[in-house]
Amino acid sequence: MTVDEWRVLCRRDRAANRGAPKSILVLTAFRTAQLFRSRKGLLWRLSYLVVVTWYKLLTEWVLGVEIPVATRIGAGLSLQHGIGVVINPHVVIGEDVMIRQSVTLGNRRSTDDCPVIGRGVELGAGATVIGAVTVGDHAKIGAGAVVVKDVPAHGVAYSPTIIESRPAPRQEPGRPGR
């Protein structure tokens, strides 16, 4: 990751979390730790150890958010009331995703058994997505839902794991979609 890429990611994350200083702090620290992790050389590696230690202390111990530095997250992640969020480092999260409080994204058995969250997905409070599950673009996961099956694009998963397919919304002429 270059410094310019870091700036773009931080700018998109700040825009997605406007008015939520805690979320901005968590995501800026996350992106900074990723920047240091991606650099080569002894000085960068030693600096990374200091940065990642402070990142873990701040996010996990103080703010109650567990997002490992190895997690692949697209730009524009929005953390709404991010307390209790737990994400496995092998989860892949697309761009413009909204995660509310107490969401768990993890594996069932092995590290390869992790969810892939599409672009523009909304995860409701207390939602749990576990296993090798694909959540399609612009899907919605309801509050308290436990998702162990794939959710199609624009689909909705309710609790207890009711998945509903919905057609893609029609675009009005001249208005871009999300």
Side-chain angles (χ1 to χ4, degrees), residues 1-12 35 39:
M1 173 186 302
T2 67
V3 174
D4 290 334
E5 290 172 332
W6 174 82
R7 284 187 184 122
V8 169
L9 289 169
C10 287
R11 194 174 304 123
R12 292 264 319 264
L35 173 68
R39 300 304 217 168

Side-chain angles (χ1 to χ4, degrees), residues 52-79:
V52 79
T53 300
W54 281 104
Y55 167 73
K56 288 181 89 48
L57 286 171
L58 173 71
T59 60
E60 290 179 25
W61 293 11
V62 176
L63 301 175
V65 177
E66 188 175 331
I67 305 175
V69 176
T71 307
R72 290 186 296 167
I73 298 176
L77 177 67
S78 176
L79 290 174

